[in-house]
Amino acid sequence: MRIERLELDGFGRFHDAHWDLGDGLTVLLGANEAGKTTLLNAVRALLFGFESSRDGRAWYPALAGGRRGGRLQLRTASGERWTVERHGERGGGGALAVRAPNGNQGGQETLDRLLHGADKDLFNNIFAFGLGELQTLASLSADAVRGRIYGAGAGLGGTSAIDLERRLRQQLDAVFLPQGSKRPLNQLLARAEELRREIADLAKQPQEHAEASRERDELRARADALRDELRTLRERLARLAALRRAAPLAVELGQLEAELQAGDPTLDAFPDDGLVVLERRTADLEQARAVLATLDEQLDTACRRRAALTVDEPILAVADELVTLSAEATRRTAADGRARDLDAALQRHGAAIAEQLARVGGWDEATLVALDDSIGAVEATREHERALSAARTALGEAEQRRRAAAEELEVRLREVGGGVEIGDDEALGARSQLVAAFDDLRERRAAAAAVAAHGRAAAFRTGALAGMAALVGAAVFLAAWLAGAPLPGIALGGATAALTMAVLRRLVARTSVPADPTALDREREDLLRRLGLPLDALDGAVRSLAEELAQQRARHARVREQSSALDARRADVERRLHDVEAAREQAATAEQAWATWLADHGLPAAQTPEAVRHVLAAAGIARRAAAERDAALQELETLRSEERDFASRADELIVRVTGARPADGVRRHATIVTLAQRLDQARADARHAAELDAGIAQATERRQVAAAAVEEREAALRAHLEATGCLDPDGLRRRATEAQTRRRLRETIRARRNELAVLAGNDEAVPELVAEARASDGASLEAAEAEARDALERLEAQEREANSRIGALDARMRQLEAAEELGARRQELAIVEGRAAAMARAWAVRAVALRLLEETRRRYERERQPDVVRSAEAHFERITGGRYPRIIAPPGDASVRVEMVGGTMRATDELSRGTSEQLYLALRFGLIEQFAIHAEPLPVVMDDILVNFDAERAARAAAAIRDLADRHQVLYFTCHAWTAEVLDPGGARTLALG
């Protein structure tokens, strides 16, 4: 089976992607993060379901979009195309559809049959593995993998023999344990034993039961006696019947014996095959005479043909030289065509070189073909191109960020009018404090008036109201700050809270001591002068001033914000300028490195990497064309030299045979063809003459043999006639007929004696039976037989009566024994014994199956595991260059050891990392090939497993992988170009990822 096409609707970084995969080896080459491991896990997911989520997230989600999942188009060894499609957003099986070649659709069961029982563990550990699986033996020694490998080899498909054993053992233990008491069969056996003890206690024998038992015993004795009499009487009847049937046989036997006595006793000596031998020897003689006549006719014809045949001996004398020249003439015809092709090739290669020189702009041929166009050089141009592109992109991005920062700074400057001026916050703070003092004074004046008018109770209420006002102000401030209100709103809330708290403190402080109204007036006038207000200004003017001051404080806060923002923008512009300079230096460094590379490789300066690659491609084309041109010139000169040598040798032979030299090359070739035809005819005549001579000699020898055979068979026929005492064949035939009649008479006598022996009982009793039969008459025998039959009927009636009475007594005794409790116990015992017997039979069947399965598996491991190990040994010896020729893997033991050339044994933990990986790779190859013996080969997927191999072993391992690809489809993922090259030197089977 192989994967013809892989389609991913969405899986990891892939979206709406597909790959067509060929037979054998396919190398998928891509850089890191190109999606190689993603593809490996995609194949696993489509075949066996999605991995569970990790950290609450889907494993390999459809990051690039699309529906998570895809489809595989599979082609079986028989040529059938199947499609496996699976989608799912979580871990598990998802939505699976398996479409057959006829269009029918199935599910998991269909996929299991298609994969021949290979499950997820087997595929991930053996057929689809990466470097992680290759670094440990655990993935190969797990019971699940070994069980399915052995199961496939034993014809169990995907069923694990170990799983079957475990399930059978669990079923047995669930039914019965030797020391168990809770198992069903243990409980049934214990209950049966308990019921037997109870029945023994309940089974008491009453008097009636004893009497019935005695009567039954007497009747049984009477029945036994009747049976003895009946047996004797039946023997008497049988003897009378035998005598009656033997009487006619005895008469016939006497007659036959008399007839035999009267015959010719010499016929007894006549051989049984006398007639057969006669007919056979007569037929042999006739056949020998016919062969002799045929040979005489063939010999005469061959002699006449040989006399008429003449062989051309002169042309045969130069046969070898002529054959050589004829073959060379044929080759020369092809060589002439090859010469014309070479002339055309010379013109074509010259034109190709001229075309490449024109492409690169007037270079000379030697300079162009001397350029290094290796993969490393081309890759170096790409690396420089990436470095130049990255540096230029970085410079452009830095310039763009600098311009964006400068434009943002200009926008901010325009917003604030080209600059900002920060006001005198101290003056605003002083005036705000004066306003707060004025409010405090006003509250004190109101409190003093309230104390004077209403006493302490009113003062207390005023203080409470002031406290509530303070709380409201504080709430306004907090709400405005949390809601992100503009600074004026926040400042107003803060001023309100501060003034309200001040009033509260003043009121509380003065509720117990009345204020002096005159002092309060003087303080009010002083505050109004300091605020710049008239002395008769009302409280509303002060409140308007307070609001104006709050707005000014908010504007100052906003200006400070704008100033900080402008400073940050200026710093960002400076930082972007430094980034531009650094990017410019990096771009200059990349340009200088590229210029140095051009100079080192003999290329003109100021060339772009893409142009250089075109020049290198032109150099490669020109170099190949020059090499092919030179080779064509050399081959053309060789052909012309060979033509001259051929003409000289051909003319010399033609002169020697015909006496005339050909005028030109056309006549030379025509003469050689004519001589070759003449040689063919001469050889045919010589072969025909030789065949006729050999045929005449062989026919002469065969005639002598045939004549001797005729004489020998005539003598044999005469000897047979003399041995049988006959003069001619007709007399022998008559005597054979008489001997056959006498033999039939003897056989009839023997048959009658056998019939009498059956009636008598044995051969010794036959004479007595015959004598008694001859002495008796038929009437007396019939009368005695009738009397014996009547007596037999009487005795049988008595026996039936006795047996009937015995049955009645048995029924009565069972009735007496069947008390209610005793019957219930016996009925329960019968049920318990029946259930226990059925359960025991099922338990025994499973126990036998378990023992057979265990023994079969152990024998299979002993006998078949060496096949896996031998296959792995061949791969391991090849990969290690013969250093490790042997692998030791004891059956049932998970450990593996290897033997070196000198016989030294090493465990796996004594091997280097690379060697242990090579060992595990060889073991996988052995398991893959063993599995394929009994099931269809599955695709093999490898993810960069050669990275720890040295160059030589990597090359040998690559060769082993290519050999495996002759029998399996192999998909090899790698990020290393050297790995792809060693696996696929021509690059025809390499696909690029990313």
Side-chain angles (χ1 to χ4, degrees):
M1 176 190 299
R2 71 178 182 87
I3 301 173
E4 282 193 332
R5 185 178 176 89
L6 166 61
E7 299 178 359
L8 294 180
D9 300 331
F11 196 87
R13 66 186 300 272
F14 294 110
H15 166 55
D16 194 20
H18 62 85
W19 297 266
D20 293 317
L21 306 174
D23 293 329
L25 174 66
T26 299
V27 180
L28 294 101
L29 174 63
N32 291 330
E33 301 184 357
K36 300 182 298 301
T37 305
T38 302
L39 276 182
L40 170 62
N41 284 283
V43 173
R44 289 174 171 173
L46 293 178
L47 287 176
F48 300 102
F50 302 98
E51 292 289 341
S52 302
S53 61
R54 185 177 69 173
D55 300 332
R57 297 178 287 108
W59 190 237
Y60 286 104
L63 299 176
R67 186 182 178 194
R68 181 168 177 250
R71 62 202 56 81
L72 292 173
Q73 188 176 91
L74 306 177
R75 187 180 183 92
T76 64
S78 60
E80 295 181 341
R81 283 189 173 90
W82 293 72
T83 301
V84 177
E85 183 172 0
R86 193 189 298 268
H87 292 87
E89 298 303 325
R90 298 186 180 88
L96 172 64
V98 182
R99 286 186 288 277
N102 59 5
N104 294 339
Q105 181 168 311
Q108 187 61 51
E109 185 176 352
T110 304
L111 181 58
D112 291 341
R113 290 197 302 270
L114 184 62
L115 296 176
H116 297 274
D119 63 354
K120 180 178 181 180
D121 289 338
L122 179 64
F123 187 82
N124 291 349
N125 288 311
I126 302 302
F127 291 91
F129 55 92
L131 192 60
E133 290 85 359
L134 200 65
Q135 292 175 346
T136 176
L137 185 63
S139 59
L140 295 177
S141 59
D143 284 345
V145 174
R146 288 169 49 235
R148 281 159 179 79
I149 288 292
Y150 293 144
L156 299 177
T159 304
S160 169
I162 296 173
D163 291 341
L164 288 177
E165 293 175 15
R166 183 172 59 254
R167 287 198 296 272
L168 283 173
R169 192 173 292 106
Q170 291 173 351
Q171 292 172 0
L172 290 174
D173 294 344
V175 173
F176 174 77
L177 285 176
Q179 303 300 325
S181 59
K182 301 296 185 181
R183 299 296 187 269
L185 183 54
N186 293 85
Q187 293 177 348
L188 288 174
L189 294 176
R191 180 57 181 163
E193 185 63 27
E194 182 181 355
L195 288 171
R196 291 190 190 97
R197 290 195 298 269
E198 293 177 2
I199 290 172
D201 294 337
L202 292 172
K204 305 299 182 180
Q205 298 287 338
Q207 183 65 29
E208 184 180 359
H209 184 278
E211 292 176 358
S213 178
R214 283 193 298 272
E215 183 180 358
R216 184 186 62 181
D217 294 340
E218 293 173 356
L219 287 172
R220 285 177 175 173
R222 173 58 182 162
D224 292 340
L226 288 173
R227 279 192 292 274
D228 292 339
E229 293 180 17
L230 284 170
R231 184 169 54 255
T232 302
L233 190 56
R234 288 189 182 102
E235 291 175 355
R236 173 62 179 164
L237 277 172
R239 182 65 175 178
L240 291 173
L243 288 172
R244 187 162 48 82
R245 290 194 297 272
L249 294 175
V251 173
E252 182 182 2
L253 179 61
Q255 294 173 352
L256 292 172
E257 289 177 344
E259 183 180 354
L260 180 66
Q261 188 69 25
D264 185 3
T266 61
L267 292 173
D268 294 337
F270 190 85
D272 294 342
D273 60 344
L275 183 59
V276 174
V277 172
L278 173 68
E279 300 298 340
R280 184 173 66 248
R281 293 187 178 180
T282 302
D284 290 344
L285 178 59
E286 294 299 326
Q287 182 180 7
R289 288 172 176 169
V291 169
L292 180 60
T294 301
L295 288 173
D296 287 338
E297 182 179 357
Q298 292 176 353
L299 186 60
D300 181 64
T301 301
C303 290
R304 283 188 280 104
R305 288 180 179 177
R306 179 64 183 89
L309 186 62
T310 302
V311 179
D312 187 355
E313 296 295 341
I315 197 68
L316 290 176
V318 294
D320 294 341
E321 297 179 65
L322 183 58
V323 168
T324 301
L325 285 174
S326 179
E328 288 190 28
T330 303
R331 290 197 296 272
R332 294 317 310 163
T333 302
D336 292 342
R338 177 59 180 165
R340 290 190 294 273
D341 293 342
L342 289 174
D343 287 332
L346 288 174
Q347 297 178 3
R348 187 171 60 255
H349 296 325
I353 295 172
E355 179 184 357
Q356 301 308 316
L357 290 173
R359 287 184 61 194
V360 299
W363 289 29
D364 60 82
E365 179 182 341
T367 303
L368 182 61
V369 299
L371 291 180
D372 178 13
D373 65 332
S374 64
I375 295 176
V378 175
E379 185 63 26
T381 65
R382 291 194 175 94
E383 292 178 0
H384 281 287
E385 185 176 34
R386 287 192 290 269
L388 289 169
S389 176
R392 290 165 183 167
T393 301
L395 179 58
E397 292 176 351
E399 286 283 0
Q400 185 177 0
R401 288 193 293 268
R402 183 197 62 78
R403 286 193 298 271
E407 291 172 359
E408 181 67 22
L409 178 59
E410 292 176 4
V411 170
R412 292 300 177 91
L413 288 173
R414 285 196 298 270
E415 289 178 354
V416 299
V420 293
E421 295 181 0
I422 300 176
D424 189 354
D425 287 341
E426 294 183 358
L428 284 175
R431 297 194 73 189
S432 296
Q433 290 179 0
L434 291 176
V435 172
F438 186 85
D439 289 340
D440 182 37
L441 177 62
R442 181 168 49 81
E443 294 295 335
R444 282 188 284 127
R445 284 167 60 88
V451 171
H454 303 289
R456 293 188 177 275
F460 178 77
R461 288 195 298 273
T462 303
L465 291 172
M468 292 177 63
L471 291 174
V472 170
V476 170
F477 173 79
L478 181 61
W481 180 74
L482 291 174
L487 289 175
I490 298 175
L492 178 60
T496 303
L499 291 175
T500 305
M501 291 301 294
V503 170
L504 178 60
R505 286 194 300 272
R506 296 291 179 87
L507 287 177
V508 173
R510 293 180 175 86
T511 51
S512 60
V513 181
D516 183 4
T518 303
L520 293 177
D521 289 340
R522 286 196 302 271
E523 187 176 353
R524 182 177 185 275
E525 292 174 357
D526 180 59
L527 289 173
L528 288 174
R529 277 194 301 272
R530 294 170 65 184
L531 288 172
L533 295 175
L535 297 180
D536 57 352
L538 300 177
D539 292 346
V542 177
R543 284 195 295 273
S544 297
L545 179 60
E547 292 176 0
E548 183 181 352
L549 291 173
Q551 292 175 2
Q552 290 181 4
R553 291 174 65 88
R555 283 195 296 274
H556 286 191
R558 183 177 180 184
V559 167
R560 282 194 296 272
E561 272 186 27
Q562 292 175 344
S563 177
S564 299
L566 287 174
D567 292 340
R569 293 298 174 187
R570 291 189 184 97
D572 187 48
V573 170
E574 291 295 330
R575 189 167 56 255
R576 298 303 180 188
L577 286 172
H578 289 303
D579 292 344
V580 169
E581 291 301 324
R584 189 171 288 116
E585 291 178 1
Q586 291 179 356
T589 301
E591 294 284 355
Q592 182 59 39
W594 172 240
T596 303
W597 190 89
L598 289 173
D600 293 342
H601 288 75
L603 291 163
Q607 292 281 338
T608 65
E610 183 178 3
V612 169
R613 284 196 292 275
H614 287 303
V615 172
L616 295 181
I621 295 173
R623 184 185 300 107
R624 288 190 292 274
E628 292 175 359
R629 179 198 61 196
D630 296 341
L633 284 172
Q634 183 177 0
E635 185 179 356
L636 184 60
E637 180 58 30
T638 301
L639 290 176
R640 288 170 178 168
S641 175
E642 291 174 351
E643 175 63 26
R644 291 190 295 270
D645 178 68
F646 168 75
S648 175
R649 289 185 287 109
D651 290 347
E652 189 274 332
L653 177 66
I654 292 171
V655 170
R656 188 160 19 112
V657 175
T658 64
R661 183 179 299 274
D664 53 30
V666 175
R667 294 185 181 180
R668 180 184 302 112
H669 282 275
T671 304
I672 290 175
V673 170
T674 302
L675 292 177
Q677 293 174 350
R678 179 178 165 187
L679 176 62
D680 291 340
Q681 182 61 45
R683 283 180 169 176
D685 292 341
R687 283 194 301 271
H688 192 191
E691 290 172 358
L692 288 174
D693 291 339
I696 291 171
Q698 292 176 359
T700 302
E701 293 178 0
R702 288 199 300 272
R703 187 191 182 287
Q704 294 174 355
V705 174
V710 169
E711 294 177 359
E712 179 183 353
R713 292 176 183 181
E714 288 176 346
L717 179 60
R718 288 194 298 272
H720 182 60
L721 291 173
E722 293 175 359
T724 56
C726 300
L727 299 177
D728 53 36
D730 292 337
L732 188 147
R733 292 187 181 95
R734 286 193 300 274
R735 190 164 179 79
T737 301
E738 294 172 357
Q740 180 67 22
T741 301
R742 187 171 177 84
R743 279 194 295 273
R744 290 197 189 98
L745 181 61
R746 284 185 178 278
E747 290 175 359
T748 304
I749 292 172
R750 189 181 306 107
R752 297 299 175 265
R753 286 186 177 277
N754 289 338
E755 292 178 15
L756 289 171
V758 171
L759 293 174
N762 53 62
D763 293 336
E764 290 76 8
V766 169
E768 181 182 354
L769 178 64
V770 171
E772 188 176 355
R774 288 174 179 172
S776 303
D777 61 276
S780 61
L781 289 175
E782 290 180 2
E785 187 175 1
E787 181 182 355
R789 190 173 290 106
D790 292 339
L792 179 64
E793 291 177 357
R794 288 194 304 274
L795 292 177
E796 287 177 345
Q798 294 176 8
E799 183 187 25
R800 286 194 298 272
E801 182 179 357
N803 289 332
S804 176
R805 179 57 182 165
I806 291 172
L809 290 173
D810 284 337
R812 178 56 181 164
M813 291 174 65
R814 285 194 299 270
Q815 183 179 3
L816 292 174
E817 295 170 355
E820 181 178 355
E821 186 175 3
L822 181 61
R825 293 295 186 275
R826 286 177 172 167
Q827 183 177 5
E828 183 181 357
L829 176 61
I831 294 172
V832 169
E833 288 177 342
R835 290 174 59 192
M839 195 175 295
R841 282 193 297 272
W843 186 91
V845 169
R846 289 189 177 91
V848 172
L850 175 61
R851 182 55 182 267
L852 291 175
L853 187 58
E854 289 175 342
E855 189 63 27
T856 302
R857 180 175 61 83
R858 284 193 293 267
R859 180 179 178 184
Y860 181 83
E861 290 182 3
R862 288 193 305 269
E863 295 178 355
R864 297 304 300 273
Q865 191 178 20
D867 294 339
V868 176
V869 174
R870 279 194 295 272
S871 179
E873 281 178 348
H875 291 295
F876 191 46
E877 183 179 13
R878 177 182 183 181
I879 292 173
T880 60
R883 182 177 176 82
Y884 296 95
R886 188 176 176 216
I887 299 175
I888 297 91
D893 191 349
S895 64
V896 176
R897 293 176 296 160
V898 295
E899 179 179 324
M900 301 180 69
V901 174
T904 304
M905 305 294 293
R906 285 190 177 180
T908 54
D909 56 359
E910 297 175 326
L911 301 175
S912 67
R913 179 177 179 178
T915 304
S916 61
E917 291 176 6
Q918 292 149 19
L919 170 62
Y920 301 152
L921 179 63
L923 287 171
R924 276 179 171 80
F925 283 1
L927 289 170
I928 289 169
E929 293 174 348
Q930 179 66 18
F931 183 86
I933 293 175
H934 303 281
E936 185 169 336
L938 298 180
V940 181
V941 186
M942 307 177 192
D943 187 6
D944 240 352
I945 61 171
L946 301 181
V947 294
N948 293 326
F949 294 13
D950 59 42
E952 293 183 1
R953 293 193 180 182
R956 289 192 288 265
I961 292 173
R962 288 194 297 270
D963 290 346
L964 181 69
D966 292 338
R967 300 175 297 281
H968 296 73
Q969 183 187 34
V970 177
L971 307 180
Y972 192 98
F973 296 94
T974 181
C975 63
H976 300 289
W978 69 266
T979 303
E981 185 174 359
V982 75
L983 284 168
D984 182 24
R989 293 184 172 273
T990 300
L991 297 180
L993 294 179

